């Protein structure tokens, strides 16, 4: 098969690494890719949101499968455009992508199909929103309806903060069009985990769980980021919790989307809050998480192309029982440019990655990297590398990952030193 992967982050490098291990993959292209992906795929200079450019490339190069990494092209209708050209695609239609593209759509689906989630209201009018905040009190959560690059959620400690966030969003000053409608919801206190499942619109293949680390500094301090590290499986996962998530959240979502006339095909990434042991849905993403995808791909033992093709062809039922996972823990430490998530310098040189990859059981996935004109590897983004390791325990995987991190020569980068701490603490207490 000729396969085209769309995207350029650490998630896409992990997908590319796994796709080229498949016996079905003849040629892998990636649009636009990064310096790490270039080692296992042919990178083509087409933006991930350039739908016409991607379609033309797929036609010219006899592409048999397009795998879409990020949400923006899916929300913009890339999967529909490919389907119209009879090109096989892994990723949901534009209508189904609303699960991530519109928080109001997601919350209304939960209300209609009794999926447990925070109580909420949806508003376009500031006075109505403020009345709702005053009635419910703080802490309370204010969310921009549309995509906001992971920044559209304000956890307001006071009513005044919540009102300020509403005014900021509805005025269009924060998040533009995405903030013209807001969802205001109950604050839920608990521990978070991510749960991934694949569906072809009918059958469901539960993948696995993971836990992200959203704050920039050790001990979960400092501002939110896109994710500073992750490990899989999440330490609090049990067969009972797995079943509860499948029965109360994932299955009703898949059935509900079908009943609404927009069957979901692709990966469902459920952000879940455990409230007193009960899983409640925080949000849906319609793509793999980044950096959660990196440890998940390291734990997957089956052929990824078989799985993605079965989703696209709606034949998932045939392979559900064949998918194998490593029982080991995988853990990914993100190395970011100093200054991230604020402003940071670009084009800083990175060295010694060969030594990092030589550490047994590890793989360093690239996110924001490029090669400059002299062939030197340089940083071109905020999150730059995802150093990922497989180990018998979380502690073991963590030790391996940091051994690899410490071989990397990147003076302008930094990382958290405590990825996996909740799991290690819980395992020590057990
Ligand atoms: P979201 O993009 O909806 O996942 O929100 C980003 C982060 O905000 C989540 O990962 C949670 O940590 C937090 N969050 C979102 N909604 C709530 C809520 N209702 N209660 C508590 N925390 C929340
Ligand atoms: N790691 C968070 C995300 O991918 O949205």
């Amino acid at each position: 098969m000729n396969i085209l992967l769309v995207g350029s982050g650490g998630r896409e490098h992990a997908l590319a690494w796994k796709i080229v291990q498949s016996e079905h993959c003849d040629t892998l292209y990636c649009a636009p890719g990064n310096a790490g992906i270039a080692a296992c795929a042919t990178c083509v200079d087409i933006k991930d949101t350039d739908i016409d450019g991607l379609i033309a490339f797929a036609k010219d190069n006899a592409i048999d499968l397009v795998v879409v990494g990020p949400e923006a092209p899916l929300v913009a209708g890339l999967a529909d455009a490919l389907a119209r050209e009879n090109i096989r695609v892994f990723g949901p239609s534009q209508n189904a992508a609303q699960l991530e593209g519109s928080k109001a759509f997601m919350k209304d689906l939960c209300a209609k199909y009794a999926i447990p989630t925070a109580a909420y209201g949806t508003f376009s009018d500031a006075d109505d929103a403020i009345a709702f905040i005053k009635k419910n009190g703080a802490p309370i959560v204010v969310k921009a309806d549309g995509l906001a690059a992971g920044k559209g959620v304000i956890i307001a400690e006071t009513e005044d903060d919540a009102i300020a966030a509403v005014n900021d969003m509805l005025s269009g000053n924060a998040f533009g069009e995405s903030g013209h409608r807001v969802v205001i919801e109950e604050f839920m206190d608990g521990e978070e985990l991510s749960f991934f499942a694949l569906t072809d619109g009918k059958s469901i293949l539960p993948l696995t769980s993971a836990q992200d680390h959203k704050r920039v500094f050790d001990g979960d301090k400092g501002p939110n980021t896109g994710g500073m590290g992750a490990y899989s499986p999440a330490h609090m996962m049990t067969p009972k919790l797995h079943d509860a998530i499948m029965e109360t959240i994932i299955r009703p979502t898949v059935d509900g989307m079908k009943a609404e006339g927009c069957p979901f095909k692709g990966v469902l990434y459920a952000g879940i809050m455990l409230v007193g042991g009960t899983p409640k849905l925080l949000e849906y993403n319609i793509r793999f998480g980044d950096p959660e995808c990196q440890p998940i791909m390291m734990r997957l033992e089956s052929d990824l192309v078989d799985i993605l093709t079965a989703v696209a062809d709606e034949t998932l039922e045939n392979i559900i029982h064949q998918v194998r996972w490593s029982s080991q823990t995988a853990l990914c430490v993100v190395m970011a440019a100093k200054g991230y998530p604020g402003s940071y310098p670009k084009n800083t040189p990175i060295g010694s990655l060969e030594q990092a990859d030589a550490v047994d059981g590890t793989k360093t996935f690239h996110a924001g990297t490029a090669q400059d004109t002299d062939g030197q590897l340089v940083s071109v983004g905020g999150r730059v590398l995802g150093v990922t390791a497989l180990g018998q325990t979380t502690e073991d995987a963590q030790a391996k990952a940091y051994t690899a991190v410490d071989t990397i020569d990147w003076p302008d980068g930094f990382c958290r030193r405590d990825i996996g701490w909740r799991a290690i603490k819980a395992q020590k207490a057990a």
Side-chain angles (χ1 to χ4, degrees):
M1 287 168 72
N2 296 323
I3 301 174
L4 171 63
L5 173 64
V6 177
S8 61
R11 164 182 54 213
E12 286 76 24
H13 189 189
L15 292 170
W17 173 77
K18 197 68 197 163
I19 287 171
V20 293
Q21 290 172 35
S22 165
E23 59 175 3
H24 305 293
C25 179
D26 294 312
T27 312
L28 177 64
Y29 298 96
C30 186
N34 62 40
I37 295 173
C40 57
T42 303
C43 292
V44 288
D45 190 16
I46 305 172
K47 276 210 187 92
D48 62 5
T49 48
D50 177 1
I51 294 183
D52 292 341
L54 292 167
I55 301 259
F57 182 86
K59 282 182 167 174
D60 290 348
N61 292 278
I63 296 295
D64 301 295
L65 171 69
V66 179
V67 180
V68 187
E71 66 278 12
L74 294 166
V75 171
L78 175 58
D80 312 67
L82 287 162
R84 277 195 294 275
E85 301 290 342
N86 289 319
I87 301 168
R88 193 198 259 140
V89 55
F90 174 83
S93 68
Q94 185 168 32
N95 277 339
Q98 289 179 91
L99 269 184
E100 177 168 0
S102 166
K103 295 199 189 277
F105 175 90
M106 182 284 256
K107 297 295 286 191
D108 291 347
L109 187 92
C110 288
K112 189 162 171 188
Y113 296 95
I115 298 164
T117 187
Y120 74 107
T122 303
F123 306 93
S124 322
D125 178 84
D127 290 337
D128 294 345
I130 291 166
F132 184 85
I133 291 167
K134 292 202 163 141
K135 181 163 159 253
N136 290 281
I140 195 161
V141 183
V142 181
K143 300 184 173 183
D145 177 50
L147 292 184
K151 299 188 180 79
V153 175
I154 305 291
I155 314 279
E157 301 293 341
T158 65
E159 287 182 23
D160 284 348
D161 287 353
I163 292 167
V166 161
N167 285 332
D168 227 23
M169 288 183 195
L170 289 183
S171 67
N173 292 339
F175 318 118
E177 195 59 41
S178 284
H180 284 167
R181 190 154 64 145
V182 296
V183 168
I184 305 181
E185 63 179 43
E186 165 202 3
F187 174 79
M188 298 192 290
D189 202 7
E191 191 162 9
E192 269 184 80
L193 74 141
S194 307
F195 188 87
F196 296 84
L198 291 180
T199 170
D200 59 5
K202 310 173 294 232
S203 305
I204 305 174
L205 169 65
L207 295 180
T208 181
S209 59
Q211 197 172 42
D212 193 6
H213 298 62
K214 289 198 200 276
R215 303 295 195 96
V216 71
F217 299 129
D218 285 20
D220 296 328
K221 302 269 168 18
N224 263 328
T225 68
M228 293 301 291
Y231 67 95
S232 168
H235 72 87
M236 66 291 248
M237 209 59 204
T238 59
K240 199 167 153 229
L241 178 57
H242 178 280
D243 291 350
I245 292 171
M246 285 298 290
E247 276 161 31
T248 66
I249 297 177
I250 306 290
R251 174 48 75 188
T253 300
V254 171
D255 292 348
M257 291 295 281
K258 193 166 160 221
E260 294 297 305
C262 45
F264 188 93
K265 281 172 64 171
V267 58
L268 279 175
Y269 156 8
I272 286 172
M273 187 75 90
L274 276 185
V275 185
T278 302
K280 295 200 175 190
L281 182 67
L282 278 169
E283 61 158 353
Y284 267 127
N285 296 302
I286 52 148
R287 51 174 174 83
F288 284 103
D290 189 344
E292 292 97 322
C293 188
Q294 291 84 316
I296 290 176
M297 287 303 129
M298 264 191 112
R299 286 189 52 231
L300 178 64
E301 290 176 344
S302 301
D303 186 314
L304 179 62
V305 175
D306 270 337
I307 300 173
L308 301 179
T309 307
V311 170
D313 291 347
E314 299 178 26
T315 55
L316 193 55
E317 186 62 34
N318 300 343
I319 62 151
I320 280 181
H321 301 291
Q322 296 161 19
V323 175
R324 297 282 169 264
W325 295 93
S326 162
S327 59
Q328 295 195 313
T329 297
L331 183 141
C332 172
V333 176
V334 169
M335 296 187 76
K338 282 181 187 164
Y340 175 81
S343 60
Y344 49 81
K346 285 192 181 172
N347 298 308
T348 60
I350 304 169
S352 310
L353 282 193
E354 307 74 33
Q355 281 96 311
D357 271 338
V359 177
D360 189 38
T362 74
K363 171 75 195 160
T364 297
F365 296 111
H366 292 225
T369 65
Q371 267 187 338
D372 70 10
T373 44
D374 301 327
Q376 166 68 48
L377 187 71
V378 294
S379 68
V380 291
R383 292 188 298 164
V384 174
L385 298 170
V387 184
T388 311
L390 205 53
Q392 285 301 341
T393 60
T394 315
E395 224 171 346
D396 182 26
Q398 190 198 54
K400 281 186 188 162
Y402 284 113
T403 302
V405 163
D406 289 336
T407 66
I408 295 173
D409 180 17
W410 183 30
D412 296 288
F414 77 100
C415 65
R416 276 180 62 161
R417 300 293 313 187
D418 65 344
I419 300 305
W421 72 269
R422 286 176 196 276
I424 292 171
K425 190 173 157 199
Q427 280 153 11
K428 283 197 172 138

